[in-house]
Amino acid sequence: MNNLTFNIGNIFKKDKLSLDILIDTSNTAIEIFKFDKRIMSFYYSKLGINLPILDTRDGTFIEFYVDLYQLTKDRRYKDISYNIYENLVNSEYYKKNRLLSVFDTSFILRNLFSLIGIKKHKTVLVCKNNTNSLFGMLSLYVLTKDRKILKTIDEIIESLNSKIIVNGGVGVGFSEEGGVGISTLTSSFPMIDFLCDIYFETKDIKYLELAEKIASF
């Protein structure tokens, strides 16, 4: 264990080489996954082909690029964070349900998926897809104080509370065909964590009360 700790400790150094690797990797991700445009979350490297599908777990990159902006003061990374946010909230599923489906894609592909029985574009998973995105949005709100972002966060929390939180516990997800999945600790823990974070930032007691409700479960 001591050797492992020592080796990991040596990896994270605040030197120019580490920063160069970080920025180069981050810029490559922007190029490959189109984080500055309409996001394409899937990339087949052998052929250099992107699939025009947004995996909403990529909401976590909002927080990542906020951190990179704070580190470098390069406005581009702040803009990237905003663009990822806009991709999420402009999805058709979000506009109708105020929740993030697992995938989002074009109208044509959504219909094709439905024909062949793929339902990820109309299925919600709380853990990762919505919670990653909530943490990312909160980091962008803390940076910018943009009330539009806080409004989006509230919309998602309200939809989760009305559609997916059952008897205090957070369901694994939601689908039009299957309804709400069973309440799990996997979904409940990150929601408690997030609600405490946003309460700390806003001091709005409604977030703390909902966190306590879930914790009681």
Side-chain angles (χ1 to χ4, degrees):
M1 180 61 71
N2 289 335
N3 287 335
L4 178 62
T5 304
F6 175 78
N7 290 334
I8 292 174
N10 280 335
I11 293 171
F12 300 102
K13 296 179 179 178
K14 292 185 178 180
D15 57 19
K16 186 178 183 302
L17 176 60
S18 298
L19 182 60
D20 288 346
I21 293 170
L22 173 64
I23 291 174
D24 184 54
T25 303
S26 304
N27 290 341
T28 301
I30 294 169
E31 180 181 350
I32 289 175
F33 301 112
K34 317 300 181 189
F35 286 142
D36 57 344
K37 301 182 179 71
R38 183 174 177 85
I39 297 172
M40 299 185 184
S41 298
F42 297 92
Y43 177 73
Y44 187 56
S45 59
K46 289 184 178 179
L47 298 178
I49 295 174
N50 292 87
L51 297 180
I53 299 170
L54 168 62
D55 184 331
T56 54
R57 289 175 297 182
D58 283 351
T60 197
F61 283 102
I62 299 174
E63 185 173 8
F64 172 79
Y65 284 105
V66 164
D67 286 349
L68 195 57
Y69 165 74
Q70 291 176 318
L71 177 66
T72 64
K73 305 307 178 187
D74 186 335
R75 177 60 187 260
R76 181 191 186 204
Y77 299 125
K78 182 179 177 181
D79 292 342
I80 293 292
S81 295
Y82 259 111
N83 187 66
I84 299 169
Y85 163 75
E86 293 290 348
N87 269 256
L88 293 170
V89 299
N90 285 324
S91 68
E92 288 302 314
Y93 194 92
Y94 178 78
K95 290 176 182 177
K96 292 179 181 177
N97 299 280
R98 298 299 187 249
L99 289 167
L100 300 172
S101 58
V102 176
F103 287 171
D104 182 57
T105 187
S106 66
F107 174 79
I108 293 174
L109 280 179
R110 289 199 304 271
N111 281 291
L112 177 61
F113 285 163
S114 294
L115 285 174
I116 61 178
I118 296 175
K119 300 177 181 178
K120 289 189 175 184
H121 60 293
K122 50 185 178 180
T123 300
V124 172
L125 289 177
V126 174
C127 191
K128 302 297 183 184
N129 298 82
N130 281 268
T131 54
N132 278 11
S133 297
L134 283 170
F135 279 109
M137 290 175 193
L138 179 58
S139 69
L140 188 57
Y141 171 71
V142 170
L143 175 68
T144 65
K145 304 304 181 192
D146 186 337
R147 302 294 295 183
K148 177 181 69 174
I149 298 170
L150 185 59
K151 181 175 182 290
T152 300
I153 291 171
D154 272 333
E155 289 174 346
I156 295 174
I157 292 173
E158 287 170 9
S159 291
L160 286 169
N161 196 15
S162 64
K163 296 180 180 180
I164 299 181
I165 296 178
V166 180
N167 297 323
V170 182
V172 66
F174 173 86
S175 68
E176 295 173 8
E177 294 86 354
V180 182
I182 61 170
S183 298
T184 68
L185 298 180
T186 302
S187 299
S188 297
F189 279 137
M191 280 305 304
I192 294 170
D193 192 11
F194 175 77
L195 289 164
C196 289
D197 282 359
I198 194 170
Y199 168 73
F200 181 82
E201 179 61 33
T202 66
K203 301 301 184 287
D204 190 329
I205 195 65
K206 68 183 181 185
Y207 301 123
L208 188 59
E209 289 174 345
L210 183 55
E212 290 175 335
K213 175 183 173 182
I214 297 169
S216 295
F217 160 80

